[in-house]
Each structure stands twice: as structure tokens, then as C-alpha cells.
Amino acid sequence: MNQVTEPYTFIARLLHWLVAALILFNGLLALTDEWWPEHYLRTVIDFHKSVGISVLLLVLLRILWRLTHTPPPLPQHLQSWELRLAAIGHVLLYVLILSVPFSGWLHDSAWKDASTHPMTLFGLVSWPRIGFILHLDPPTKEYLHHLFGTVHTALNYILYAVLLIHIIAVYKHERLDNVSVLSRMGFK
Ligand code: HEM
């Protein structure tokens, strides 16, 4: 039987799984955009932007929650290097889950057709572009659109790599150390 440690608050657990699921879904949606029929593509990309902005707002909420609620302590048996690595990994994950949607928003704000294609969240509420980018001259916007697109893609791949390490670390604690860190984030 695994040792079970104190869980995170319900809100922290909910935000953790919601953000994780939406990020994976949105990444898959964008990476498979070539598989969609031509006439659906604009709708798929608009949906990708709406999910992405929702993630941005949920991550801000999650960070606010994390800053105002002390998480339960990590299991006692962990070595100091493991605690340090876990802390670095978690900060890195927060930076990435914030910068992935933010770079998408920057990329979209520099799109040449942004002013004639206003953004709405799921077709319901209008959402602004980043104003100072929207008003730059066309060649600068073109350059930034390409640059932010490259950054958006690169940050996604870095996020997937860090996420993989995060999952391997959880597996190590569960299977090799026999301590259930997963139960801290679970709903059982
Ligand atoms: C959960 C957050 C997000 C994730 C995981 C994500 C993931 C991705 C991925 C994996 C790609 C494909 C990159 C490539 O194939 O090179 C992409 C493309 C793109 N993303 Fe995001 N993104 C997110 C948020 C956003 C946001 C908030 C916006 C804009 C408001 C946005 C706008 C775009 C655009 C315009 C593209 C290019 C789509 C195309 O033209 O095919 N993304 N995103």
C-alpha cells in the first residue's frame, strides 16, 4: 500500500486537471489543423484561440490561488536535491503554461488580418488584440507575426518535454519510492 500524503485544496486540484486537459486538447487541435477540411480551418483556428485564452485566464486564476494558499508539504522522505528539482520544475511549468497562451495571443495580435477579423471567445464575448502590436506598420507586424509564431511553437515543444519529465517524476515516486504523490492531486 502506498503512503498517502495530504491533498491540495479542491480548487487547486480542479484547476490543475482542467488546465492540463485543455492544454493537451488545444495542442492536438493546432497540430492536426492540416487534417481538417479547408472550409472548417478558420473555425478550428478560432476555436483554438478561444480555448487558449480560456487557459490563459485559468492559469492566472491558478497562480493567484497558489500564491494565496500554501500547498501541502512534499513527502518527508525526498532528498534535498529532489525537493530542489521539484521546485524548479514546478516554477518552469507555471512559466510555460502562462507563456504558451500569451505567445499565441501575441502571434495573433500581429496577424495582418486581425483588424478585419475581430476575436470573440467561442463567438460569445469579444476579446481584444494587444493594442500596441495591432497599430504597428505592416512590415513590422509581418516580422513579429512570424517571430511570435516561432516562439509559440518552440514554447509548446519545451512544455511537452517538461511535462514528460513531470510525469516520469510522478511515476518514480509512485512506483519506486512507494509514495502516492498522485493522490495529492487526485479526487479519490
Ligand atoms: C492552451 C494554450 C495553447 C496551446 C497549447 C497552443 C498550442 C499550439 C500549437 C501546438 C500550435 C501549432 C504550432 C505549429 O504547428 O507550428 C499552435 C498554433 C497557433 N496558435 Fe496556439 N496554443 C495555445 C494558445 C493560443 C492562443 C491564446 C492563441 C491566440 C489567441 C493561439 C493562436 C495560435 C495560432 C494563430 C496558431 C497558428 C495556427 C495555424 O495557422 O495553423 N494559440 N498553437
Side-chain angles (χ1 to χ4, degrees), residues 19 22-34 41-42 45-46 48-56 59 97 100-109 111 119 121 127-129 145 149-150 152-154 156-157 159-160:
V19 166
L22 289 176
I23 284 178
L24 291 178
F25 170 77
N26 220 23
L28 273 179
L29 197 66
L31 290 170
T32 57
D33 67 354
E34 282 168 17
L41 196 57
R42 177 53 44 213
I45 294 177
D46 283 348
H48 172 81
K49 294 178 192 175
S50 294
V51 174
I53 292 296
S54 309
V55 168
L56 182 64
V59 170
I97 59 177
V100 161
F102 190 70
S103 59
W105 191 24
L106 285 169
H107 173 56
D108 183 56
S109 299
W111 180 33
M119 205 191 136
L121 294 185
W127 181 262
R129 287 336 198 294
H145 185 248
T150 307
H152 188 51
T153 305
N156 265 289
Y157 287 117
L159 174 60
Y160 303 148

Side-chain angles (χ1 to χ4, degrees), residues 141-160:
K141 264 208 273 195
E142 190 58 42
Y143 169 76
L144 288 180
H145 185 248
H146 181 71
L147 178 71
F148 293 143
T150 307
V151 169
H152 188 51
T153 305
L155 286 173
N156 265 289
Y157 287 117
I158 297 171
L159 174 60
Y160 303 148

Side-chain angles (χ1 to χ4, degrees), residues 1 12 16 41 43 45 66 93 106 109-110 118 124 142 162 181:
M1 167 75 79
H16 173 276
L41 196 57
T43 312
I45 294 177
R66 174 66 178 74
L93 278 169
L106 285 169
S109 299
L124 297 171
E142 190 58 42
V162 178
V181 284

